[in-house]
Amino acid sequence: MRESNMLNLVKIMPKDIASYLSSLGCEKGGVRIMQQKAQIEFFFIKDLKTPAALILKQEALSLGAEVALPKEAILGIKKVDAILIITRNLLPILIQKCKQQPFDLKQLAMQLQRHIHTPIFSAQIMGVINLTPDSFYLQSRCNTQEAIERIYQFIDEGADIIDIGAASSRPGSAWLEEEEELERVREVFYAIKSENIAAKVALSVDTYSPKVAELALESGFSILNDITALRHSRMVQIAVATQCKVILMHMQNNPKNMQDCPHYDNVLEEVDAFFADKIQSLNAEGITNLILDVGIGFGKSYEHNFSLIAHLSNFQAYRLPLLVGASRKSMIGAVYPSEPEERLPGSLILHAEALEHGASIIRCHDVKEHKQMLAIKQALRRV
């Protein structure tokens, strides 16, 4: 055969660089170094003192990185916003340089440090079971017998966690009386305990009620999913006493009014500030086994929801598992008019995107379909 004179060119995606470098026969250490050079990080820095911003730019340029500043930075105004653009391998070097500098740069170094070597958590699928007569998704509503059957169905389909709740938190819903919630869950929790279901799958209780939380944890549950972020002091005491995992979710206002024109000056900054404050206060109480949930649909417009999913990697700096639950929610209908029963495709693509940006737990109504999505996504990463 005649030799071709064609030069083959293949564009490599950043996530694939390590496998291509390995195919060249590069040593493992070299692969790691070059992979970091191929990954560019972008950081938005708000309200940086102007002298600090100018020093930061000088230090970044000396490394081959960049800091974008507004033109007002040279006019002597007190503070400016900035964008740091840097490859991952240079970030530790810049951090060390910032630690030696005055103004805000020591504090900036500490914040940048959080974004280095963030852990990778195995992806898990959490199936949702609602013991409510008014959940927004009709097919997720269960009575006692249906709930037990669905638990075993989810186990067969490969659920890693099953989240069970009896108090609806759909937009417009009111807080449920504790005794009524207890009445809804009692038989299901009894069956879970008597059949030792906790030995087969991790169980999460979706409740803001201390009595329900106590009953669940006594029945074998190991995760407390409280949409109020342990607002009730008794919930804090229960979490401390049992050392259970706690899902820390952001919600603006409460279910009754949370979707009445939700507003944020910057949703990413405000959710981040909420996590920082709550993590610090709960850690001080001895509660450290946390999972973070940005609260899709809880006091957010559909634009807020999409922004949180697209920028989820920001919250990896806390080095905690990230949970996303966009399953069949109205943000899908806002983009493509549809009822909850028609939103499985939108749920899958949103959750696939969330996994791409750092989510490790996906809360959903459709376990089998999400396990298939996850298997295909993992197969693509192995190519």
Side-chain angles (χ1 to χ4, degrees):
M1 293 179 63
R2 190 171 65 180
E3 184 176 343
S4 172
N5 290 322
M6 289 289 291
L7 179 67
N8 292 327
L9 176 70
V10 176
K11 184 176 180 179
I12 301 174
M13 300 299 289
K15 66 184 181 65
D16 298 326
I17 188 66
S19 61
Y20 274 89
L21 289 168
S22 297
S23 72
L24 291 179
C26 298
E27 293 182 297
K28 287 184 179 180
V31 169
R32 185 173 63 254
I33 293 169
M34 286 183 278
Q35 183 183 22
Q36 289 179 335
K37 288 182 178 180
Q39 295 177 316
I40 299 177
E41 306 278 7
F42 299 85
F43 297 96
F44 176 70
I45 308 165
K46 188 175 177 63
D47 292 334
L48 187 63
K49 290 178 182 176
T50 299
L54 296 173
I55 293 171
L56 179 64
K57 186 175 181 72
Q58 181 180 351
E59 295 288 14
L61 288 171
S62 72
L63 297 175
E66 180 59 276
V67 174
L69 296 173
K71 59 185 179 181
E72 290 81 7
I74 62 172
L75 301 179
I77 61 172
K78 291 184 178 180
K79 292 184 177 182
V80 294
D81 296 340
I83 297 175
L84 170 63
I85 307 166
I86 189 167
T87 55
R88 186 169 294 183
N89 68 308
L90 294 178
L91 186 57
I93 303 172
L94 181 65
I95 289 171
Q96 292 304 315
K97 285 178 171 287
C98 287
K99 287 180 179 178
Q100 309 305 316
Q101 295 292 350
F103 306 112
D104 301 322
L105 292 177
K106 290 185 177 67
Q107 181 185 354
L108 177 64
M110 292 174 60
Q111 294 192 30
L112 289 171
Q113 187 74 45
R114 295 166 49 208
H115 291 271
I116 294 180
H117 306 310
T118 54
I120 298 174
F121 299 96
S122 298
Q124 295 182 296
I125 301 300
M126 171 190 277
V128 180
I129 293 178
N130 292 313
L131 295 166
T132 58
D134 56 348
S135 173
F136 82 93
Y137 177 39
L138 178 62
Q139 294 179 32
S140 72
R141 303 174 190 174
C142 296
N143 59 33
T144 298
Q145 185 56 40
E146 290 168 341
I148 299 301
E149 292 173 359
R150 192 160 297 179
I151 288 171
Y152 282 107
Q153 175 191 334
F154 281 176
I155 292 172
D156 290 341
E157 291 176 350
D160 302 286
I161 307 167
I162 298 178
D163 188 51
I164 303 174
S168 177
S169 54
R170 66 184 296 174
S173 61
W175 299 116
L176 185 66
E177 291 294 330
E178 192 170 51
E179 290 304 318
E180 184 177 352
E181 187 179 351
L182 272 171
E183 188 62 30
R184 291 179 183 179
V185 303
R186 189 172 280 112
E187 289 187 32
V188 174
F189 288 5
Y190 175 78
I192 285 170
K193 186 174 183 178
S194 62
E195 297 176 32
N196 197 23
I197 289 175
K200 303 177 178 69
V201 66
L203 296 170
S204 166
V205 59
D206 181 359
T207 186
Y208 43 77
S209 160
K211 288 184 180 179
V212 174
E214 286 178 311
L215 182 60
L217 294 165
E218 290 168 5
S219 302
F221 287 66
S222 58
I223 304 172
L224 180 54
N225 184 10
D226 176 4
I227 63 169
T228 72
L230 305 191
R231 191 180 301 169
H232 196 299
S233 60
R234 179 62 187 143
M235 294 293 261
V236 173
Q237 293 169 3
I238 292 168
V240 171
T242 61
Q243 288 298 295
C244 63
K245 290 182 182 178
V246 173
I247 297 173
L248 185 60
M249 192 194 79
H250 175 273
M251 174 173 61
Q252 189 179 80
N253 298 321
N254 60 69
K256 187 73 174 178
N257 62 6
M258 63 187 181
Q259 290 307 109
D260 296 347
C261 301
H263 172 76
Y264 300 85
D265 291 332
N266 185 305
V267 67
L268 294 174
E269 291 178 13
E270 292 183 44
V271 173
D272 189 79
F274 165 81
F275 283 146
D277 179 65
K278 290 297 294 187
I279 290 169
Q280 183 179 32
S281 63
L282 291 178
N283 283 177
E285 296 283 353
I287 301 171
T288 58
N289 200 352
L290 298 171
I291 297 167
L292 304 184
D293 180 354
V294 294
I296 298 298
F298 284 85
K300 284 118 185 151
S301 68
Y302 85 90
E303 292 96 341
H304 296 143
N305 293 324
F306 277 102
S307 181
L308 286 166
I309 290 175
H311 298 91
L312 199 64
S313 61
N314 173 73
F315 306 107
Q316 287 182 296
Y318 291 106
R319 293 174 164 81
L320 295 168
L322 301 177
L323 182 152
V324 168
S327 185
R328 298 181 180 269
K329 289 189 175 179
S330 61
M331 63 185 294
I332 301 168
V335 174
Y336 188 92
S338 53
E339 295 302 315
E341 291 74 20
E342 305 169 302
R343 296 175 187 163
L344 177 58
S347 303
L348 290 167
I349 190 63
L350 284 173
H351 287 151
E353 190 72 7
L355 288 166
E356 194 67 26
H357 291 286
S360 53
I361 302 173
I362 297 299
R363 186 179 184 273
C364 64
H365 299 95
D366 309 279
V367 169
K368 184 177 181 179
E369 291 82 356
H370 278 79
K371 291 293 286 190
Q372 184 183 92
M373 176 270 287
L374 184 57
I376 298 301
K377 190 169 181 60
Q378 290 171 339
L380 282 169
R381 286 177 176 171
R382 291 193 294 268
V383 173

